[in-house]
Amino acid sequence: MAPEDLFAGDATDATPLIWLLESEFEAWAAQQSEARRRWLAVQRIKPSHRAPVWLPPDTADEHPSVLLIAKQDESFETLARAVEALPEGCFELAGDLPDLQAGHLGWALGGYVFDRYTRAAAPKARLKASASKDFARVMRIARAIWLARDLINTPASDLLPSHLSEIAEETAKHTGAECRVTVGDELLAAGFGAIHAVGRASADPPRLIDITWGNLDHPKVTLVGKGVCFDSGGLDIKSAEGMKLMKKDMGGAAIALALARLIIEQALPVRLRLLLPTVENAISGNAFRPGDILKTYKGTTVEIGNTDAEGRLILADALALGAEESPDLMLDFATLTGAARIALGVALPAMFANSKTLADGILAEGESVGDPVWQLPLHAPYKWQIKSKVADLNNAGYGPFNGAIYAALFLQEFVGESIDWAHFDLMAWNTRKRPGHPVGGDCPSLHAVYSYLEQEFGR
């Protein structure tokens, strides 16, 4: 199933969906027939009612209709609730529509179901939509989010580095991009010592996926995604409880891959590069150890303070590679620290940026499209926490505080000073159901960042 399957094209027999803002309800109700006003009163329908409301016909010739009441700026949530609640049938939006694009996206994401391993019931309601340019754009955004959710929800048994590599290569082939994959001991020969060390204990060898697309004369945009397909914690092994959701530790790679596909499908005028360091952090006789010192692609040495702080290690190699060509913008996405979740919860990604203009732009677009992010500081005085007495850096830091900040500071060491860069530390998982956001894998920041790129480079 795809997002487009939740919509009907030229269906003529459609039930009207009367879409009102909360502030418009009283005026609308006053214009209804006496029978309908009495029915609304009996049903105790108020402006704050959020579930779809069935309205009986006023005459024998009239069809029933459905009333949707939305708060201001809740177009997404309103249609996301509706697609789940309405029965099988075709529906058509009527009246002055508050935000049609947000509504269509809400319908598309509210209807998402991960059904690869079960016969989960998909919504049966279909929304009539015109084949407009705006609708096509919304469907591409929805497909990107569905792709990221599917990848994050897939267990490691079916999404190890080799599987993710196949998906990335197929994506490149489908979109006309170029793809190069460096595998196993080839990583050592190419200088990617951190990626190799983190992934070498797995029976499925580590990989660096490198995809490029676009005109060389266009602004260079580089995306990097943390692809830890499963994280046992390594020799600093996680608890059973801590390991339960570690199939989602490749959420950053899923977001970056889906975002890259969206950029290509929308033909943004950029020179795109996608770097996905992809590993399983496993345990075996050749696993990397606490106290080991790794040489990264940049040449910087890193003492291993904790093998469960592996994400920043593989990102370091990829960021250093991306920085070599001095892109106009570099963005990385990672399920990196529990500290960011303690600070901001599971739904709000932490963003670190070395440019105020960049940060302000992404923050504004996130608010505009209903995909908020929150900026945390790259507080330079905390850099002492990533120093080592026997190497250039330590991957684990010192002390129990500000873990998200010193992780971001660690990554900053591998980004060129002249490069505009932002780092997103996110959960990639919903622990409770919200409209358009089911429990399971999700990709906060994807829509916000795409909207920013479209505003910045799409002119």
Side-chain angles (χ1 to χ4, degrees):
M1 188 174 182
E4 293 91 337
D5 297 331
L6 296 165
F7 293 84
D10 298 323
T12 54
D13 187 17
T15 300
L17 291 176
I18 302 169
W19 188 5
L20 299 176
L21 292 177
E22 189 178 77
S23 57
E24 299 169 335
F25 174 78
E26 297 294 351
W28 172 84
Q31 297 173 356
Q32 304 305 300
S33 67
E34 181 180 350
R36 181 166 283 180
R37 290 199 305 271
R38 189 163 54 246
W39 188 90
L40 290 168
V42 169
Q43 298 296 320
R44 299 181 180 180
I45 304 303
K46 298 180 180 180
S48 59
H49 197 87
R50 290 292 171 260
V53 179
W54 281 92
L55 301 174
D58 273 337
T59 68
D61 297 330
E62 207 176 75
H63 283 293
S65 54
V66 176
L67 175 63
L68 304 176
I69 306 174
K71 280 186 178 180
Q72 191 72 35
D73 300 326
E74 276 201 356
S75 301
F76 175 90
E77 291 84 351
T78 301
L79 269 292
R81 290 189 187 97
V83 67
E84 293 185 76
L86 292 171
E88 184 173 359
C90 183
F91 298 84
E92 182 175 13
L93 293 167
D96 295 327
L97 308 177
D99 188 337
L100 187 56
Q101 289 191 57
H104 281 157
L105 186 62
W107 185 276
L109 299 188
Y112 171 82
V113 174
F114 183 63
D115 58 1
R116 179 170 175 175
Y117 302 95
T118 183
R119 295 177 182 176
K124 300 292 186 181
R126 297 294 179 264
L127 183 66
K128 189 175 178 180
S130 62
S132 66
K133 181 179 178 182
D134 285 342
F135 180 73
R137 173 183 175 276
V138 169
M139 288 303 98
R140 292 188 188 107
I141 294 171
R143 282 199 303 270
I145 293 172
W146 276 42
L147 171 61
R149 288 178 176 180
D150 281 348
L151 292 173
I152 296 165
N153 283 323
T154 302
S157 54
D158 289 321
L159 198 66
L160 286 168
S162 56
H163 302 118
L164 187 55
S165 178
E166 289 172 5
I167 293 166
E169 290 176 84
E170 180 59 33
T171 298
K173 181 179 179 181
H174 173 76
T175 57
E178 296 179 9
C179 182
R180 179 186 176 190
V181 183
T182 308
V183 183
D185 289 344
E186 295 174 0
L187 292 163
L188 279 181
F192 301 110
I195 298 173
H196 182 271
V198 174
R200 71 191 184 205
S202 173
D204 198 278
R207 287 163 167 76
L208 176 60
I209 301 163
D210 188 347
I211 292 176
T212 53
W213 171 87
N215 191 321
L216 286 169
D217 295 329
H218 287 160
K220 296 177 183 176
V221 174
T222 298
L223 308 178
V224 181
K226 173 188 169 184
V228 179
C229 293
F230 190 82
D231 183 17
S232 68
L235 292 178
D236 288 311
I237 191 169
K238 294 179 182 290
S239 67
E241 189 65 27
M243 229 182 284
K244 277 184 178 178
L245 287 182
M246 283 304 101
K247 68 176 184 178
K248 75 169 185 67
D249 213 18
M250 40 60 64
I255 292 170
L257 176 61
L259 177 58
R261 179 165 178 159
L262 176 58
I263 289 168
I264 297 171
E265 289 182 344
Q266 284 289 102
L268 286 191
V270 299
R271 174 61 173 177
L272 177 67
R273 190 175 192 183
L274 173 67
L275 296 170
L276 303 179
T278 307
V279 302
E280 180 189 14
N281 187 17
I283 299 172
S284 71
N286 68 338
F288 76 124
R289 297 163 290 264
D292 283 357
I293 296 177
L294 309 181
K295 187 176 181 181
T296 65
Y297 182 79
K298 185 180 178 180
T300 303
T301 56
V302 180
E303 179 189 10
I304 303 305
N306 192 311
T307 63
D308 198 19
E310 83 298 328
R312 66 202 70 180
L313 295 171
I314 66 172
L315 289 172
D317 274 353
L319 288 169
L321 174 64
E324 281 186 337
E325 58 180 5
S326 299
D328 298 276
L329 177 63
M330 188 151 62
L331 306 170
D332 78 74
F333 305 84
T335 51
L336 206 64
T337 70
R341 308 287 66 76
I342 291 169
L344 301 177
V346 301
L348 193 59
M351 177 184 69
F352 298 83
N354 63 2
S355 160
K356 185 178 187 304
T357 301
L358 171 61
D360 289 348
I362 294 174
L363 289 169
E365 289 303 317
E367 286 298 320
S368 174
V369 301
D371 185 25
V373 301
W374 197 266
Q375 187 177 11
L376 293 181
L378 286 164
H379 189 55
Y382 288 161
K383 281 188 177 181
W384 68 268
Q385 290 182 281
I386 58 172
K387 296 301 181 183
S388 167
K389 294 180 180 179
V390 295
D392 296 320
L393 300 172
N394 187 296
N395 77 318
Y398 300 97
F401 306 114
N402 53 272
I405 296 176
Y406 69 65
L409 290 169
F410 180 94
L411 297 180
Q412 190 179 25
E413 294 290 317
F414 299 89
V415 178
E417 292 183 4
S418 62
I419 299 170
D420 283 351
W421 164 69
H423 157 61
F424 296 87
D425 186 339
L426 42 88
M427 177 75 167
W429 192 268
N430 294 314
T431 56
R432 73 174 184 89
K433 178 180 170 59
R434 295 176 288 129
H437 299 278
V439 172
D442 210 355
C443 45
S445 76
L446 190 158
H447 194 185
V449 170
Y450 175 72
S451 184
Y452 170 79
L453 295 174
E454 199 173 49
Q455 292 295 319
E456 188 69 14
F457 301 109
R459 301 184 185 93

